[in-house]
Amino acid sequence: MADGTGLFVYGIVPSDVEPTPDAAGVGDPPSEVAAIRHGELAALVSEVGLEEPLGRPADLTAYQELLDGTAAVAPVLPVRFGTVVTGPDAVTELLTAHHDRFAAALDGFEDRIEYMVHARYHEQPLLAELLAADPEAADLARQVRGQPEAATRPQRIRLGEIVSQAVELRREAENRHVLDAVTPLVVDSAVRPPSSELDAVNLAFLVDSARADEFADALEAYAGRRRDLLRMRLLGPHAPYDFVAAHQLAG
């Protein structure tokens, strides 16, 4: 390694995993990805300048693409984005100190991948449904319709509170319904925070690769039943970001 450089650590994998020749890491220009091995483990790393700023969209994309591509063929324990160590000896020390714990976690993620399910409500059908179900909200909506915002500020604030609370309750119920629809087909699940006030579902699932098609079919059937009110997307396969991380296992 050259002076003034460190190693960016992406994830922990079984020792027989090899980076593909075209694997590109973070940095500008993108750096070559290598594997540092110890016992049953390897760490995927690339060289970076210690003064080089990280966190550009291209860096995040490179990080995710490397881990997601690896997860499609082998178990991987993601390392927190931005983890840079001084050199190969530091990586070997990490693998040595936590070898058995990392190896056991990798065994548990063999042939398992993460999918994310995101759904967002169609705004107008949702509001129509909420107003039909709540007389106070419907009355407030009539009071503010066509009126100056300043003159109806209290009514608008109250209406916003009612709608926000109603959407939150519906989101919780929607997440439960999706979980009920796919729970027999998944290993684990995690509720993720909403990314928008119109979010209907934001869930992560750990799925056995052999059941991925069944899982997707169940979600497609659910989305078909709800298409008038929401739009659902299935994202993945991904590395198991929501279910394991090397820095958590390392304490």
Side-chain angles (χ1 to χ4, degrees):
M1 289 178 55
D3 291 340
T5 63
L7 290 177
F8 187 106
V9 187
Y10 299 86
I12 312 300
V13 295
S15 61
D16 59 353
V17 171
E18 290 279 359
T20 60
D22 61 345
V26 300
D28 185 17
S31 50
E32 182 179 352
V33 177
I36 295 177
R37 294 177 173 79
H38 175 75
E40 300 176 21
L41 305 174
L44 299 177
V45 303
S46 69
E47 194 169 317
V48 293
L50 293 177
E51 301 301 322
E52 183 176 352
L54 297 172
R56 301 173 306 134
D59 294 329
L60 292 166
T61 298
Y63 168 81
Q64 292 174 339
E65 286 184 349
L66 178 64
L67 290 177
D68 292 348
T70 302
V73 296
V76 57
L77 309 178
V79 172
R80 191 190 342 241
F81 178 84
T83 299
V84 177
V85 299
T86 54
D89 288 346
V91 176
T92 301
E93 289 174 9
L94 172 69
L95 298 180
T96 301
H98 307 287
H99 183 279
D100 292 348
R101 188 176 297 176
F102 286 168
L106 286 169
D107 286 343
F109 285 86
E110 184 75 39
D111 295 323
R112 290 174 173 173
I113 47 181
E114 176 174 323
Y115 286 94
M116 287 185 286
V117 178
H118 183 261
R120 185 162 291 176
Y121 287 116
H122 301 309
E123 185 172 10
Q124 292 308 314
L126 174 66
L127 288 176
E129 193 172 285
L130 295 179
L131 295 180
D134 190 313
E136 181 186 359
D139 183 56
L140 289 167
R142 284 191 292 270
Q143 292 180 43
V144 304
R145 190 175 297 121
Q147 300 301 312
E149 185 172 340
T152 56
R153 181 172 175 78
Q155 293 94 326
R156 291 176 186 273
I157 291 175
R158 176 57 184 154
L159 178 59
E161 291 173 345
I162 294 174
V163 169
S164 178
Q165 292 168 1
V167 172
E168 184 174 351
L169 291 173
R170 284 172 179 259
R171 181 185 301 125
E172 292 173 358
E174 204 79 55
N175 279 329
R176 287 196 304 271
H177 294 329
V178 173
L179 287 167
D180 289 344
V182 300
T183 290
L185 304 173
V186 305
V187 177
D188 202 355
S189 61
V191 179
R192 312 184 81 213
S195 59
S196 160
E197 54 187 32
L198 286 176
D199 271 8
V201 177
N202 201 8
L203 297 166
F205 293 98
L206 188 65
V207 182
D208 282 327
S209 299
R211 306 204 74 175
D213 288 344
E214 292 179 82
F215 171 73
D217 288 345
L219 285 171
E220 185 174 358
Y222 183 90
R225 295 192 296 271
R226 301 289 284 161
R227 67 166 52 93
D228 290 343
L229 192 60
L230 56 84
R231 176 178 178 268
M232 181 175 285
R233 295 185 300 154
L234 176 62
L235 308 172
H238 296 301
Y241 305 105
D242 288 274
F243 300 99
V244 66
H247 69 272
Q248 294 171 335
L249 292 171

